[in-house]
Amino acid sequence: MKIFLDTADVEAIKWGVALGVVDGVTTNPTLAARAGRGFKETVLEICEICTGPVSAETVGLTAEQIIKEGRILAQWAPNIVVKVPLIAEGLKAVRQLSAEGIKTNVTLVFSPAQALLAAKAGATYVSPFLGRYDDIGQEGMQLVREIVQIFRNYNFQTEILAASIRNPLHVVEAAKAGADIATMPPKVLEQMIAHPLTDKGLTSFLKDWESVPDAKTVFAEPER
Ligand code: G3P
C-alpha cells in the first residue's frame, strides 16, 4: 500500500519524505488556505520535495473551467495530479484531461456509484472520504470495500486512494480492504510509528546494553 501525506505543510512533507515511506502528497483548498501562502509557490515546493504524485485541486464548476485549470496545473510540474470534484461537470473534465494524458484524482467521493463513474471517466485515482462518513455515524470503510469489489470485478486501472483518514486504524482497515493508497495528515503517520511497548522495550534494551563489556567501544571504531 502506498502512503500519501494529506497536507500542504512543506515542513511536514520534508519530514515524511525523509522517513522514506511517503509516496505522494494530496492537497485540497482547505489545506492550501491553512498553508497561508500562495498556492502555486506551495505546490511547486511540494513537487520538488516529493517526486511522487502531488494532487492539486481545481475550483471551477464547469467542465470548461475545470479543464482550463487542470491544464494550467499540469504544466507546473511533471508529478502534478489534477484533483477534480465528483460532479457531472467534473466527470466530463476528467474524460478530457485523461485523453490529454493528464493524471486526475476524483475527490469528494461518497458512494460506490460515484466511484464507478469516476473510473469509467478514466480517473487515475478515486478518493473515497472515510472520516467524514464516520463523522455522521456511518461506517466509511464499507465504502472502500465496495469500491475495491467493483474495481476488481471489472479490472479498472483507477487506483483507490482512501482519504479523510483520521487515525492509524483507518489506515490498517483500508489496507485490509485492498485500497491502493491511504492519504493521511502527518499526525496520523506519527501515530502509526509510535507504540508504548516499543518505547518501553527500547528503554530496557539500552539499560541492559550498559552491562555489555565492550558497550562503550564496539561502535567507536572508525568506518572503513
Ligand atoms: O484531502 C481530502 C481529505 O483527505 C480530507 O480529509 O479530514 O478534511 O475529511 P478531512
Side-chain angles (χ1 to χ4, degrees):
M1 179 194 238
K2 285 175 269 190
I3 288 181
F4 287 6
L5 281 181
D6 195 26
T7 183
D9 178 343
V10 293
E11 293 308 317
I13 294 166
K14 281 181 196 166
W15 168 79
V17 168
L19 283 178
V21 295
V22 169
D23 303 292
V25 173
T26 51
T27 67
N28 63 36
T30 304
L31 296 170
R34 207 175 287 161
R37 51 196 285 238
F39 182 54
K40 185 171 182 178
E41 64 173 304
T42 304
V43 171
L44 289 179
E45 192 173 349
I46 293 171
C47 287
E48 275 187 21
I49 300 164
C50 175
T51 53
V54 174
S55 288
E57 194 156 337
T58 57
V59 290
L61 294 176
T62 63
E64 188 184 14
Q65 185 61 25
I66 295 168
I67 292 165
K68 182 183 166 201
E69 292 172 8
R71 287 174 180 154
I72 291 170
L73 290 169
Q75 282 171 2
W76 287 358
N79 50 334
I80 289 274
V81 174
V82 176
K83 206 168 173 188
V84 177
L86 192 301
I87 54 177
E89 293 295 299
L91 289 173
K92 283 190 221 167
V94 166
R95 165 66 64 206
Q96 178 58 32
L97 292 168
S98 301
E100 295 176 20
I102 294 173
K103 291 190 171 151
T104 55
N105 173 3
V106 175
T107 188
L108 290 167
V109 168
F110 288 94
S111 79
Q114 290 179 316
L116 174 59
L117 293 175
K120 284 190 68 69
T124 316
Y125 306 97
V126 62
S127 290
F129 277 34
L130 311 185
R132 293 191 192 186
Y133 244 130
D134 290 359
D135 290 345
I136 59 164
Q138 295 188 39
E139 196 202 355
M141 204 55 65
Q142 186 55 24
L143 178 59
V144 176
R145 290 188 202 107
E146 291 182 25
I147 296 171
V148 168
Q149 185 184 353
I150 292 167
F151 283 17
R152 282 188 185 155
N153 283 351
Y154 295 98
N155 199 25
F156 282 123
Q157 297 307 299
T158 304
E159 292 191 61
I160 301 164
L161 199 170
S164 188
I165 293 249
R166 304 281 168 76
N167 55 58
L169 191 56
H170 271 157
V171 182
V172 172
E173 290 298 320
K176 283 160 67 178
D180 300 285
I181 306 151
T183 190
M184 65 201 72
K187 188 186 81 174
V188 173
L189 183 54
E190 278 180 47
Q191 290 169 333
M192 285 175 71
I193 296 167
H195 198 290
L197 290 179
T198 303
D199 295 342
K200 189 174 173 221
L202 183 60
T203 302
S204 149
F205 283 160
L206 293 180
K207 185 170 182 306
D208 293 343
W209 176 251
E210 287 170 16
S211 60
V212 174
D214 61 348
K216 289 196 165 52
T217 56
V218 68
F219 294 128
E221 291 169 18
E223 284 181 50
R224 294 185 189 186

